[in-house]
Amino acid sequence: MDHFTLIDGALHAEQVPLARIADEVGSPVYVYSAATFRRHARVFRDALLPLGRVHLAYAIKANPNVAVLRLLADEGYGADVVSGGEMARALAAGMPVSEIVFSGVGKTRDELARGLDAGIGQFNLELEEEGRVLAEIAAAKGMTAHAVLRVNPDVDAGTHAKISTGRKENKFGVPIDRAPAMFDRLARLPGLDLRGVAIHIGSQLGDLAPLEAAYARIGELVAALRAAGHTISRVDLGGGLGVPYKQGDVMPSPAEYGAMIARATKGWDVELMFEPGRVIAGNAGVLLTRVIWVKPGVTHPYVIVDAAMNDLARPALYDAWHDFAAVHPTGETMVANIAGPVCETGDTFAMGRTIDKVASGDLAIFRTAGAYGATMASTYNSRALVPEVLVDGDRFAVVADRIAAETILAAERVPEWLTR
Ligand SMILES: *Cc1c(COP(=O)(O)O)cnc(C)c1O
């Protein structure tokens, strides 16, 4: 559920008319609802209450805006970060450093050292060598790195191939059958406190069964590691819960997820950690856009909007669906293709879709754009970097400026030898 609803015939974000935001900030623009973020944060936390103390590490990559992070920090969330840049954001937002998890398959030595210096709560190791290097850097600093080993359970999460992470051919984690031997070797290293394991099998999961199967394998691994004499105090269960993108889509609820986790982790006797991203941010944002033209097409007209694949990459990357709605719907519909101005056929949001009837100059939104939206934006075709607005009740603020193409141009140089 979200807070982007019609009030007196006009779409609002909470109490703010979207048309007002378009007037004041221009378009395209991402609009986030603070109430929706808070609600999702609470519903997810509440679903896990029966598990006792859990660690909630919001996966920053889903929506790393610093205002969003501050809001989630206020809800008691830490962060899952996958780069030095994301770590800097989490710290800037005031997230407690002990509740920051450093994930990522390609953390550099420099990033590992920066994480140690900052006092990162947990490093999720993706390969044995990374553990050795981290131990070495920590020992040289007279520090101890707290870490868990990410395992790849070889399960098919049943989601889009490009966001599946838990099959053996994927680049993530260590093969689960080799994990016990690696754990033995790593746990002996000075400078490393290896206290458990982590797993994350993919994103936009619409079925809990693959997760439950993966967690069952983790349960067996934990038992085997303990039998080998290791102290296992932490298991990081990752993120991945899907959200409904299409009206009528049914996704597992956080409550069902919580009940499954309780079942799957019964008797583990560890502190559990979660890394939700999309489920917190997805429905908390929309991409507000203006129709530039309605261009006649062969079968259907093309609604050409001022948002494009550089602003919202998901349709081009994953053939993703985003519901489209007019800000001032007339009640009439049309069948149309929806596309942006970028010079790629992939810059298409929908084909042959029944949508609210729109004309050139009308405002519209792409729904469920709060996760993996602005964070993936680029300036392709020398378009501006899309701005972000946070609404909270009847207030709103620009929380990321539009970065003009001219500003980006100003950061480029023609070398002296090419100047005339
Ligand atoms: C992307 C990612 C997440 C978040 O996934 P969602 O599907 O957004 O919940 C969590 N953990 C890791 C390691 C990730 O890479």
Side-chain angles (χ1 to χ4, degrees):
M1 95 140 253
D2 62 49
H3 290 79
F4 300 96
T5 52
L6 285 171
I7 302 175
D8 296 332
L11 269 178
H12 285 57
E14 304 189 23
Q15 275 100 263
V16 179
L18 287 173
R20 208 176 110 207
I21 294 174
D23 281 350
E24 292 184 26
V25 187
S27 63
V29 55
Y30 278 93
V31 182
Y32 306 136
S33 154
T36 311
F37 268 109
R38 290 191 190 102
R39 188 190 137 77
H40 291 172
R42 288 170 196 176
V43 166
F44 190 82
R45 188 178 52 207
D46 290 353
L48 302 175
L49 275 181
L51 300 168
R53 174 168 156 69
V54 300
H55 298 266
L56 297 170
Y58 166 66
I60 283 194
K61 73 175 193 279
N63 186 324
N65 184 278
V66 69
V68 166
L69 300 187
R70 174 64 58 87
L71 191 154
L72 292 173
D74 289 348
E75 292 295 326
Y77 278 68
D80 173 47
V81 304
V82 296
S83 69
E86 285 194 349
M87 181 178 84
R89 283 175 175 275
L91 294 173
M95 285 172 146
V97 70
S98 62
E99 295 298 315
I100 298 178
V101 180
F102 206 149
S103 297
V105 69
K107 299 187 278 301
T108 62
R109 283 162 199 264
D110 178 56
E111 285 175 320
L112 292 172
R114 279 165 64 195
L116 275 169
D117 290 340
I120 286 294
Q122 174 179 311
F123 292 86
N124 287 11
L125 303 175
E126 292 266 357
L127 68 163
E128 186 171 351
E129 193 183 355
E130 184 190 18
R132 291 186 187 286
V133 168
L134 177 63
E136 215 176 273
I137 300 173
K141 290 177 182 286
M143 300 171 92
T144 302
H146 306 291
V148 300
L149 184 62
R150 178 171 178 180
V151 298
N152 184 320
D154 192 24
V155 295
D156 185 345
T159 185
H160 193 282
K162 288 186 185 170
I163 48 176
S164 283
T165 56
R167 288 186 301 202
K168 65 175 186 297
E169 64 271 28
N170 297 144
K171 66 179 175 179
F172 298 100
V174 304
I176 192 161
D177 50 334
R178 286 190 224 152
M182 279 185 207
F183 208 100
D184 280 343
R185 293 190 290 269
L186 288 174
R188 276 194 227 120
L189 300 178
L192 197 64
D193 159 34
L194 192 60
R195 56 192 182 184
V197 292
I199 185 174
H200 173 74
I201 65 168
S203 195
Q204 183 58 7
L205 309 186
D207 181 3
L208 295 178
L211 273 179
E212 190 161 4
Y215 294 162
R217 302 200 70 185
I218 293 298
E220 289 163 16
L221 175 62
V222 168
L225 291 172
R226 282 184 174 148
H230 297 294
T231 303
I232 303 297
S233 58
R234 212 23 112 81
V235 176
D236 182 340
L237 295 177
L241 204 54
V243 301
Y245 277 96
K246 211 186 264 189
Q247 209 175 12
D249 269 2
V250 179
M251 282 287 153
S253 68
E256 289 165 326
Y257 176 74
M260 181 275 283
I261 301 279
R263 208 163 54 232
T265 65
K266 201 158 185 249
W268 283 13
D269 189 27
V270 293
E271 280 181 30
L272 292 175
M273 172 166 261
F274 296 88
E275 301 169 346
R278 191 187 308 269
V279 73
I280 303 293
N283 283 313
V286 299
L287 175 57
L288 178 59
T289 186
R290 199 180 283 282
V291 177
I292 306 176
W293 311 109
V294 177
K295 176 183 173 179
V298 175
T299 31
H300 307 295
Y302 270 95
V303 172
I304 309 285
V305 294
D306 67 2
M309 65 188 283
N310 70 298
D311 306 304
L312 177 60
R314 298 190 64 260
L317 273 180
Y318 322 121
D319 293 317
W321 176 293
H322 286 269
D323 277 344
F324 179 85
V327 168
H328 299 108
T330 59
E332 284 178 276
T333 60
M334 66 196 284
V335 179
N337 310 323
I338 310 169
V342 161
C343 296
E344 296 227 12
T345 298
D347 184 25
T348 300
F349 295 102
M351 290 299 284
R353 202 190 286 182
T354 303
I355 56 171
D356 291 337
K357 187 163 187 184
V358 287
S360 86
D362 286 356
L363 288 170
I365 59 169
F366 291 104
R367 291 189 184 271
T368 317
Y372 307 105
T375 182
M376 285 188 178
S378 75
T379 58
Y380 184 41
N381 275 211
S382 292
R383 291 166 49 85
L385 196 62
V386 62
E388 298 163 87
V389 160
L390 181 69
V391 173
D392 196 355
D394 59 4
R395 297 175 288 191
F396 76 90
V398 176
V399 293
D401 291 339
R402 189 183 309 281
I403 300 180
E406 291 73 12
T407 307
I408 291 158
L409 177 60
E412 296 177 18
R413 308 272 177 277
V414 177
E416 191 199 338
W417 70 84
L418 288 178
T419 52
R420 275 171 272 153

